């Protein structure tokens, strides 16, 4: 009886392991960023690839550094939204130097910078980045009672967040403001609350994004981008923030799909599809609004998007 019990236990364990392995098995892995448009596009790619190529994709939430490491090692096949110039250092490392990653040529035009709520712009006169170094204006942005204003600069896993710290150091407002890192849900909820209550607030922002549709947000002016004044050290250096400087506005930005070279070689038809995928800025705005404001499930949103844009997806699939 004891041997039978052991045998049953072994068989049961083996069945569980087999079931779990089967559940995890997928034809490819798509990295999913922790911002709304990245979540939407990751799932749109999943649904499209399943329908048009018969491949099942696992959408896996992960940070960008982990995603690039996965693209390099073969654990990850696709990253849906690689921002430039934020990730140019990683692109040089993995695409130019190692040749393990390919970044599609098609990109969505984007913008990155600093924004203010209407109260911050009109009542406090914060309209230019230099205004953030004014101790009196900065103190008026205080929300926790410590006499020092706060600025949300992005999620801790975003490459742009570290660069915003560099910019704060270079411009000087790191001395007058507390720089807050938090997930986008938290940052955008703070913006909504600030606008609703008339509380002045400044924050890092980017477009396309639904926040410009929801509120009368003001973009702060900055000195024009100058490559000679934009020195960002490699992100794999633990001291890269202190070694960097950026006392000018962000350069022209775009975001692109990236995929592993190995995946492209094994699935050239899917790689050709990825090279044609082209989202419009208005569509990205709609994505962020649907996921952030309406709280739609990313996969459900993607299924509807693909169904509504069938002809367009078909054009991307054509050889």
């Amino acid at each position: 009886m004891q041997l039978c019990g052991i045998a049953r236990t072994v068989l049961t364990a083996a069945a569980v392991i087999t079931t779990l392995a089967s559940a995890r098995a997928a034809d490819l892995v798509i990295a999913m960023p922790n911002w709304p448009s990245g979540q939407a596009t990751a799932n749109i790619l999943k649904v499209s690839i399943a329908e048009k190529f018969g491949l099942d994709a696992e959408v896996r939430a992960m940070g960008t550094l982990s995603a690039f490491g996965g693209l390099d090692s073969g654990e990850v096949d696709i990253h849906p939204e690689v921002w430039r110039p934020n990730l140019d250092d990683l692109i040089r490392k993995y695409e130019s130097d190692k040749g393990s990653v390919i970044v599609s040529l098609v990109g969505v035009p984007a913008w990155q910078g600093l924004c203010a709520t209407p109260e911050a712009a009109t009542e406090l006169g914060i309209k230019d980045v230099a205004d953030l170094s004014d101790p009196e204006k900065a103190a008026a942005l205080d929300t926790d009672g410590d006499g020092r204003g706060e600025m949300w600069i992005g999620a801790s896993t975003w490459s742009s967040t570290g660069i915003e710290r560099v910019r704060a150091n270079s411009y000087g407002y790191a001395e007058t403001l507390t720089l807050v890192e938090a997930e986008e849900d938290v940052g955008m909820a703070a913006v909504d609350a600030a606008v609703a209550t008339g509380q002045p607030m400044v924050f890092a922002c980017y477009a396309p994004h639904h926040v410009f549709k929801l509120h009368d947000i003001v973009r702060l002016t900055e000195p024009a981008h100058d490559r000679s004044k934009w020195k960002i050290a490699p992100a794999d250096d633990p001291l890269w923030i202190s070694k960097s400087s950026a006392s000018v506005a962000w350069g022209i930005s775009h975001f692109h799909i990236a995929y592993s070279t190995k995946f492209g070689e094994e699935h050239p038809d899917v790689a050709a599809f990825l090279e044609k995928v082209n989202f419009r800025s208005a569509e990205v705005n709609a994505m962020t609004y649907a996921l952030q404001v309406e709280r739609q499930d990313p996969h459900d949103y993607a299924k509807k998007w693909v169904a509504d844009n069938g002809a367009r997806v078909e054009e991307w699939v054509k050889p």
Side-chain angles (χ1 to χ4, degrees), residues 38 71 121 159 166 168 178 216 222 252 258 295 304:
L71 289 169
S159 58
V166 172
T178 298
D216 188 19
E222 301 183 48
I252 297 173
R295 298 296 177 182
K304 186 176 186 306

Side-chain angles (χ1 to χ4, degrees), residues 283-300:
E283 291 173 327
V284 178
N285 280 333
M287 291 175 192
T288 64
Y289 187 89
L291 271 60
Q292 189 87 51
V293 180
E294 298 176 340
R295 298 296 177 182
Q296 291 189 38
D297 175 77
H299 189 248
D300 290 342

Side-chain angles (χ1 to χ4, degrees), residues 178-244:
T178 298
L179 306 178
V180 179
E181 296 183 16
E183 292 299 314
E184 182 164 2
D185 279 356
V186 177
M188 290 300 99
V191 173
D192 293 341
V195 173
T197 59
Q199 170 71 35
M201 178 179 176
V202 292
F203 56 99
C205 52
Y206 65 91
H209 198 281
H210 73 274
V211 71
F212 297 99
K213 177 180 178 180
L214 282 180
H215 308 303
D216 188 19
I217 298 300
V218 177
R219 297 180 179 184
L220 301 191
T221 56
E222 301 183 48
H225 182 74
D226 182 339
R227 291 181 63 184
S228 68
K229 296 180 180 179
W230 187 274
K231 303 295 184 182
I232 304 298
D236 56 3
D237 184 338
L239 301 177
W240 76 272
I241 292 178
S242 62
K243 293 180 179 179
S244 301

Side-chain angles (χ1 to χ4, degrees), residues 46-107:
K46 171 185 171 68
V47 174
S48 299
I49 291 171
E51 288 189 5
K52 302 303 180 180
F53 301 98
L55 298 175
D56 177 46
E58 175 193 350
V59 173
R60 188 183 300 172
M62 64 177 68
T64 299
L65 289 177
S66 298
F68 266 87
L71 289 169
D72 180 54
S73 69
E75 281 187 53
V76 175
D77 299 290
I78 299 171
H79 190 302
E81 198 169 303
V82 172
W83 280 69
R84 307 192 75 166
N86 314 36
L87 301 172
D88 280 354
D89 181 57
L90 288 177
I91 292 171
R92 278 191 296 270
K93 177 179 179 179
Y94 291 108
E95 183 176 44
S96 303
D97 298 341
K98 301 187 73 172
S100 59
V101 175
I102 297 173
V103 178
S104 71
L105 296 177
V106 176

Side-chain angles (χ1 to χ4, degrees), residues 127-276:
K127 298 180 180 179
D128 185 87
V129 67
D131 295 320
L132 300 176
S133 298
D134 182 325
E136 185 175 343
K137 292 180 179 178
L141 300 172
D142 179 28
T143 60
D144 59 11
D146 68 352
R148 184 183 174 91
E150 295 84 37
M151 174 194 282
W152 177 71
I153 58 171
S156 59
T157 55
W158 296 359
S159 58
S160 62
T161 302
I163 295 174
E164 286 299 345
R165 285 196 175 276
V166 172
R167 281 157 42 81
N169 292 336
S170 300
Y171 277 127
Y173 58 83
E175 299 297 322
T176 56
L177 292 170
T178 298
L179 306 178
V180 179
E181 296 183 16
E183 292 299 314
E184 182 164 2
D185 279 356
V186 177
M188 290 300 99
V191 173
D192 293 341
V195 173
T197 59
Q199 170 71 35
M201 178 179 176
V202 292
F203 56 99
C205 52
Y206 65 91
H209 198 281
H210 73 274
V211 71
F212 297 99
K213 177 180 178 180
L214 282 180
H215 308 303
D216 188 19
I217 298 300
V218 177
R219 297 180 179 184
L220 301 191
T221 56
E222 301 183 48
H225 182 74
D226 182 339
R227 291 181 63 184
S228 68
K229 296 180 180 179
W230 187 274
K231 303 295 184 182
I232 304 298
D236 56 3
D237 184 338
L239 301 177
W240 76 272
I241 292 178
S242 62
K243 293 180 179 179
S244 301
S245 62
S247 58
V248 292
W250 285 83
I252 297 173
S253 300
H254 292 83
F255 53 85
H256 306 248
I257 293 172
Y259 55 95
S260 76
T261 303
K262 180 182 177 182
F263 177 78
E265 292 171 349
E266 294 176 349
H267 299 280
D269 52 348
V270 181
F273 159 78
L274 295 173
E275 290 287 352
K276 293 179 182 177

